[in-house]
Amino acid sequence: MGVGIKMVMGKRKLDFDFISKKTWFDSLQVNDELQIKEVKAGPLTYFVIEDFLVNPSSTLESLSKWIALSPAEGHYSTVPGHRQQFAHQEYKPIVTAYKNILTHLGFQRIDITKFSNCSNICDNTMVSWSENNKPHYDVNQITVILWLSSHKGGTSFYSYNGKSDSRDLTADEFNMAMKNPKDKDKTEPWINFEGDSNWDLYHVIPEKFNSVCIYNGYNFHAPYPIFNGGEYRYNIISFYYDGWEQYSSKWNEYSGETKI
């Protein structure tokens, strides 16, 4: 015998803002022809693709409707700003393009299900927990950023006593580099970290609207926003993790510009 279940939300009808998958995917379409540029800056090698999306205004309109979570007051967070999370299923047109780009660059066996994607939404009023502006590293060798705002600044890169890759530090050096005192009861206005006696800021990958940059996440880096008034700084970061040692030499094998 079947059981009937009735959902009641007070006297209000439960409603949703539906969007078709075709409409959503159409707003995320990537240009058919992309030019990849390699950039070398000191110890850092990274790749830049400009004019990435077919219609970035449509992309922004769709993404702005996605729920964004703010750090809960009184709850420690390692990142500033607000976040949206996108599973690979929702972000398929873009991570598929990333797979094609990375395969073209010589990275093998890229699997789009291994991408973890989240946005970072910041403005000039943001605060962070004490010392969270210091350099960090991502536990993956491929990090991809899609820029969807137009500010100065970007992502800053650092070396610790001459070493830019976190894996090159000895255990003692690593413990000293990462021992930043983080007061989990104290927040303060965000201030870009300019380096100190141990840390050298040697490059900033510039923020550029509708561009993508790809870098080795094990390199020490930090957000480096220079805000344009009260407008949001908005990017989507995709982390790829799947057995990194196979990719260790690819950053030095590719050179020049190419089209795909």
Side-chain angles (χ1 to χ4, degrees), residues 33-74:
E33 292 189 6
L34 299 171
Q35 182 167 304
I36 307 170
K37 181 180 180 181
E38 181 193 47
V39 181
K40 290 184 178 292
L44 178 68
T45 297
Y46 63 96
F47 304 99
V48 175
I49 303 100
E50 297 183 0
D51 195 25
F52 183 72
L53 296 165
V54 172
N55 190 343
S57 296
S58 175
T59 307
L60 272 172
E61 182 179 355
S62 292
L63 293 177
S64 66
K65 298 176 181 178
W66 202 269
I67 188 170
L69 299 178
S70 297
E73 185 176 351

Side-chain angles (χ1 to χ4, degrees), residues 29 71 102 145 150:
Q29 287 304 302
L102 292 168
I145 295 181
S150 297

Side-chain angles (χ1 to χ4, degrees), residues 94-104 110-112 115:
I94 291 177
V95 292
T96 299
Y98 290 167
K99 175 182 178 178
N100 294 337
I101 292 167
L102 292 168
T103 300
H104 182 78
I110 298 296
D111 177 355
I112 66 170
F115 281 102

Side-chain angles (χ1 to χ4, degrees), residues 151-166:
H151 298 271
K152 295 181 180 179
T155 302
S156 50
F157 286 79
Y158 306 79
S159 60
Y160 181 79
N161 292 332
K163 297 179 179 180
S164 60
D165 190 318
S166 60

Side-chain angles (χ1 to χ4, degrees), residues 8-221:
V8 178
M9 301 288 289
K11 293 185 178 181
R12 296 181 61 186
K13 177 183 176 182
L14 186 63
D15 201 3
F16 299 92
D17 184 11
F18 292 105
I19 181 173
S20 73
K21 180 174 284 188
K22 182 181 185 305
T23 299
W24 175 258
F25 278 5
D26 283 350
S27 73
L28 302 180
Q29 287 304 302
V30 175
N31 278 310
D32 291 333
E33 292 189 6
L34 299 171
Q35 182 167 304
I36 307 170
K37 181 180 180 181
E38 181 193 47
V39 181
K40 290 184 178 292
L44 178 68
T45 297
Y46 63 96
F47 304 99
V48 175
I49 303 100
E50 297 183 0
D51 195 25
F52 183 72
L53 296 165
V54 172
N55 190 343
S57 296
S58 175
T59 307
L60 272 172
E61 182 179 355
S62 292
L63 293 177
S64 66
K65 298 176 181 178
W66 202 269
I67 188 170
L69 299 178
S70 297
E73 185 176 351
H75 290 265
Y76 178 73
S77 173
T78 58
V79 295
H82 318 282
R83 292 276 170 138
Q84 298 162 302
Q85 299 289 337
F86 304 97
H88 71 273
Q89 295 95 330
E90 289 105 20
Y91 208 49
K92 186 176 180 179
I94 291 177
V95 292
T96 299
Y98 290 167
K99 175 182 178 178
N100 294 337
I101 292 167
L102 292 168
T103 300
H104 182 78
L105 292 175
F107 296 89
Q108 302 300 313
R109 301 188 299 278
I110 298 296
D111 177 355
I112 66 170
T113 69
K114 304 296 184 181
F115 281 102
S116 173
N117 315 287
C118 64
S119 69
N120 188 212
I121 309 169
C122 301
D123 63 19
N124 59 4
T125 66
M126 74 177 182
V127 298
S128 70
W129 272 262
S130 179
E131 301 290 332
N132 266 350
N133 62 338
K134 293 292 183 64
H136 66 276
Y137 65 97
D138 306 325
V139 189
N140 56 277
Q141 198 175 22
I142 301 175
T143 300
V144 188
I145 295 181
L146 169 59
W147 289 105
L148 288 168
S149 56
S150 297
H151 298 271
K152 295 181 180 179
T155 302
S156 50
F157 286 79
Y158 306 79
S159 60
Y160 181 79
N161 292 332
K163 297 179 179 180
S164 60
D165 190 318
S166 60
R167 296 168 296 179
D168 292 337
L169 273 62
T170 66
D172 287 343
E173 287 174 328
F174 184 85
N175 290 335
M176 289 296 293
M178 295 290 100
K179 77 168 189 175
N180 299 331
K182 292 177 168 53
D183 187 343
K184 297 184 179 182
D185 295 319
K186 178 184 178 183
T187 59
E188 53 194 22
W190 178 269
I191 298 176
N192 291 332
F193 182 62
E194 302 293 343
D196 57 23
S197 59
N198 293 311
W199 292 101
D200 176 47
L201 192 170
Y202 64 87
H203 187 65
V204 177
I205 297 180
E207 172 180 346
K208 185 171 184 180
F209 182 73
N210 197 23
S211 73
V212 161
C213 65
I214 305 171
Y215 59 85
N216 182 340
Y218 281 117
N219 286 295
F220 291 116
H221 59 278

